[in-house]
Amino acid sequence: AVQKEPEFAGHPKGLYMLFFAEMWERFSYYGMRAILIFYLTQHWLFSDAKSNLIYGAYTSLVYITPVLGGYLADRYLGQRKAVLFGGLLLAAGHSLMAVEGTGGQSDPTINVFWGALAFIIVGSGFLKANISVMVGQLYKLTDVRRDGAYTIFYMGINVGAAIGTIMVGYLGQTIGWGWGFGLAGIGMLAGLIVFVLGKGALLGAGEAPAPLAKSKEMLLYGVGLASVAVIWALVQYQDVIQTLLAVSGVALLGYVLYESFKLPKEPRERMFAILFLISLNPLFWGLFEQAGGSMNLFTDRFVDRSGVPASIFQSINPIYIILLAPLFASLWVWLGQKGKEPSAPAKFGLALAQMGLANLVLVWGAEAFGVAAMTPVIFVFLYYLFATTGELCLSPVGLSAMNRLAPVHLASLIMGAWFYMTAVGNFVAGLIGEATGGHDGAMSKTALLDIYELFGWIAIGAAVLVLLVSPIVKRWMHLDT
Ligand code: LEU
């Protein structure tokens, strides 16, 4: 008889182990992100404009490195060791964040801060994509429980994000920066411990594709540490990052296009659909990622929040996700049964429309109550509500579309390209945030509202175009065959 794998509530035990490990990792990531912009403006005394740019450069690197980390794990390390190494780097990075020094840009301690960001960036590179891949590896290819597993895993991400932003945000903004970042470090350590102690539950998932010599393994870790040093220097020069992103982005998209012309008609058209979908990432995430940046500053300064620290409002998005994700999942199933489920490109159009609406609702609300007055907090809740329903139409939809549309031999490349364009979006977010302050200026409420309104309409205009062409893109997807 086949030995049954140890299960809990219908899923392999390994899923719950990965759930808690990723929950703690996201606790630290989003906790730190919730106070980063305040740390930049209030502790290191960067201007609002510059702080937004640094925020965007940092988060964009966080989403690019998983492309390389995924590659190294696929080829050599295996996912489990990559996650372990990434977790160690992340714990080091978050702990280093707690080293405050005296503050101001002339304090040499700021170099520890840049180093901390570099550890987190490279650590995410080794961990983020690989821990997600491990979820799928717990199931056979044909196992129908796989989608459900990812839904559960996404819950873990957002439970961690919600608790992390509240606890780290509260400690960091009211007791002291080091306390907040230190707690993020402890959270990451907890995730690491869960991952190490729970190894047995993985039943061999995520091991190296071929036996790996100790010397080669050490070399890979050495490369990881060396890239921390490179990123440490790079993260201080946001304009260099911008150029690198643009050049490598064009090269990557050109390569994907080149590969697609080698394919027969159907898979080639699927690649066109992929290119269409990923090209919408920069606009969507460019607006969405204002959350931790300019929106965070706006909430801090111009919203009547009854003394609640602004960073706590960063928990609204993950809490909405926890509440609404099951609703959206059943909505698609329900519409699907009636043959009315929107296609992936149509959902992307809806996502852009909702993100645009989020911007406009905030602007209208703020203006209706007078720009000189504090804006009622309800508009912050509405802003995040539409941003979240937009996220639910784009983020999970995009991931599964990439999975379904990519030819097997290009699966990792396509997933990498998806994350790459998300990273571009994060950088764009930094640029838009920078614009709310004018160059090296301080953010003004009217400048922010003007920019949000402009981009609100741009997103809605783009949404209309996307919805108009979505039937063509849907045909490119060839899903009926
Ligand atoms: N909330 C998601 C995460 O942290 C966002 C990502 C997919 C861009 O995993």
Side-chain angles (χ1 to χ4, degrees), residues 31-361:
M32 179 275 201
R33 173 180 168 279
I35 53 174
L36 178 61
I37 197 89
F38 301 124
Y39 194 51
L40 286 163
T41 51
Q42 296 168 21
H43 185 72
W44 298 120
L45 307 179
F46 287 106
S47 71
D48 297 336
K50 179 84 174 171
S51 299
N52 272 295
L53 194 61
I54 297 172
Y55 165 83
Y58 158 72
T59 55
S60 79
L61 290 175
V62 159
Y63 284 107
I64 284 197
T65 49
V67 181
L68 301 172
Y71 178 80
L72 287 184
D74 277 349
R75 289 292 291 263
Y76 311 107
L77 263 183
Q79 285 76 16
R80 189 183 62 81
K81 282 183 172 155
V83 168
L84 198 60
F85 182 60
L88 284 168
L89 296 179
L90 281 165
H94 284 294
S95 308
L96 283 174
M97 281 295 296
V99 181
E100 285 178 52
T102 49
Q105 288 155 57
S106 52
D107 175 3
T109 318
I110 196 167
N111 292 306
V112 179
F113 165 70
W114 297 124
L117 293 186
F119 271 103
I120 297 174
I121 290 163
V122 179
S124 301
F126 277 94
L127 184 138
K128 182 77 170 117
N130 291 321
I131 195 165
S132 323
V133 168
M134 290 182 79
V135 171
Q137 288 177 340
L138 296 171
Y139 302 84
K140 292 201 182 69
L141 258 177
T142 49
D143 197 323
V144 290
R145 294 173 302 170
R146 196 189 263 256
D147 269 6
Y150 275 105
T151 309
I152 294 174
F153 186 70
Y154 210 70
M155 287 288 168
I157 287 177
N158 286 289
V159 171
I163 303 174
T165 47
I166 292 171
M167 292 183 64
V168 174
Y170 178 78
L171 276 184
Q173 278 201 289
T174 58
I175 314 283
W177 304 117
W179 288 90
F181 293 127
L183 179 67
I186 292 171
M188 188 57 232
L189 220 49
L192 202 54
I193 291 171
V194 168
F195 192 75
V196 171
L197 294 183
K199 183 187 165 192
L202 292 172
L203 304 171
E207 290 311 321
L212 182 70
K214 251 292 151 300
S215 58
K216 202 164 180 187
E217 187 180 342
M218 290 300 141
L219 181 72
L220 288 170
Y221 297 147
V223 168
L225 286 173
S227 45
V228 172
V230 173
I231 300 280
W232 179 42
L234 188 64
V235 75
Q236 306 180 38
Y237 300 97
Q238 295 83 35
D239 43 350
V240 179
I241 298 173
Q242 184 173 352
T243 310
L244 285 176
L245 264 179
V247 172
S248 51
V250 170
L252 180 66
L253 293 183
Y255 182 67
V256 171
L257 202 61
Y258 164 77
E259 283 290 337
S260 55
F261 279 110
K262 293 203 279 192
L263 298 166
K265 182 163 180 277
E266 270 194 20
R268 182 176 65 234
E269 291 192 344
R270 285 205 186 98
M271 292 284 272
F272 294 164
I274 287 174
L275 280 166
F276 178 84
L277 293 175
I278 61 178
S279 69
L280 301 174
N281 265 347
L283 180 59
F284 182 82
W285 296 109
L287 298 184
F288 182 92
E289 276 291 318
Q290 295 307 313
S294 69
M295 188 59 198
N296 215 355
L297 288 177
F298 178 87
T299 309
D300 187 50
R301 295 178 196 169
F302 305 124
V303 171
D304 179 9
R305 47 188 172 75
S306 313
V308 177
S311 53
I312 307 271
F313 293 86
Q314 294 298 309
S315 65
I316 300 175
N317 162 253
I319 292 173
Y320 280 149
I321 292 271
I322 295 166
L323 298 175
L324 296 177
L327 214 72
F328 270 69
S330 20
L331 176 72
W332 300 142
V333 171
W334 183 68
L335 286 174
Q337 280 159 356
K338 308 198 326 178
K340 286 197 179 130
E341 186 183 358
S343 64
K347 285 178 185 165
F348 272 51
L350 294 173
L352 284 171
Q354 290 166 96
M355 195 60 239
L357 190 62
N359 272 26
L360 294 180
V361 164

Side-chain angles (χ1 to χ4, degrees), residues 287 290 295 355 358-359 379-387 452:
L287 298 184
Q290 295 307 313
M295 188 59 198
M355 195 60 239
N359 272 26
F379 295 106
V380 173
F381 280 88
L382 285 174
Y383 172 87
Y384 286 118
L385 178 63
F386 292 122
Y452 273 47

